[in-house]
């Protein structure tokens, strides 16, 4: 089902609503863990999308959307949009509020799509995004034992 939703949304992704503001904020947020927020008016029968630029692999992305009416919401990678059957990382509907979290599976640009094509009224929506970079696993010291003893007693040159 998400693939079918995105197939209908793909032509609408040419529209960018406040994309520069949120894209710059999310690029910084992914490195530092800060929030970004944008407010968008979506006329009835239209969609708007917001580009999230250069999200690194493993970034944890939390999105909260509040709207004055019902919307379809999807998060899709720019790369996936190039495929004949694009699939969303997330797709769902909201009446007034929704929140979701995803982990970015590959570095690149992503689009938050707000779809009001089935709506009877214009909708004002606010999207809040928090991006946190993947944390590196802690470095553990090598265990002391026989491997260390062998390294210390090994000859230092050709034998």
């Amino acid at each position: 089902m998400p693939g079918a939703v995105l197939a209908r949304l793909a032509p609408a992704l040419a529209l960018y609503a406040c994309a520069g503001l949120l894209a710059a904020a999310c690029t910084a947020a992914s490195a530092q863990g800060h929030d970004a927020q944008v407010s968008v008016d979506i006329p009835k029968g239209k969609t708007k999308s917001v580009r999230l630029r250069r999200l690194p692999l493993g970034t944890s992305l939390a999105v909260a959307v509040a709207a004055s009416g019902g919307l379809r919401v999807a998060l899709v990678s720019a790369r996936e949009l190039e495929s004949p059957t694009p699939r969303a990382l997330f797709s769902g509907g909201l009446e007034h509020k929704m929140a979701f979290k995803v982990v970015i599976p590959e570095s690149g640009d992503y689009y938050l799509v707000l779809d009001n094509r089935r709506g009877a009224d214009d909708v004002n929506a606010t999207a809040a995004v928090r991006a946190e970079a993947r944390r590196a696993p802690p470095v553990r010291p090598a265990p002391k034992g026989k491997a260390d003893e062998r390294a210390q007693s090994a000859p230092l040159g050709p034998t």
Side-chain angles (χ1 to χ4, degrees):
M1 182 165 149
V5 170
L6 286 177
R8 293 191 320 258
L9 294 177
L13 289 174
L15 298 173
Y16 297 99
C18 303
L21 171 66
L22 192 59
C26 282
T27 299
S30 66
Q32 299 173 1
H34 295 288
D35 296 329
Q37 186 169 323
V38 66
S39 185
V40 181
D41 292 319
I42 306 108
K44 66 181 178 181
K46 301 287 183 179
T47 64
K48 296 276 180 123
S49 63
V50 180
R51 183 173 58 174
L52 310 174
R53 288 194 289 174
R54 295 178 283 179
L55 295 176
L57 168 75
T59 298
S60 175
L61 193 67
V63 179
V65 180
S68 62
L71 289 173
R72 290 288 301 164
V73 177
L75 182 70
V76 61
S77 73
R79 185 173 185 205
E80 191 65 34
L81 285 174
E82 296 171 1
S83 84
T85 55
R87 294 183 310 217
L89 281 173
F90 173 85
S91 178
L94 70 85
E95 273 305 310
H96 293 288
K97 291 183 180 181
M98 83 166 5
F100 63 92
K101 291 182 181 181
V102 296
V103 175
I104 300 302
E106 65 180 344
S107 298
D109 293 350
Y110 287 79
Y111 293 89
L112 178 64
V113 181
L114 306 170
D115 182 349
N116 190 23
R117 288 182 293 168
R118 293 186 180 174
D121 297 313
D122 295 351
V123 173
N124 180 279
T126 301
V129 178
R130 179 163 182 86
E132 292 188 15
R134 171 177 60 178
R135 295 182 185 166
V139 177
R140 295 184 182 155
K144 295 201 178 244
K146 293 187 180 194
D148 288 340
E149 292 170 10
R150 277 184 270 144
Q152 291 174 0
S153 64
L156 293 177
T159 53

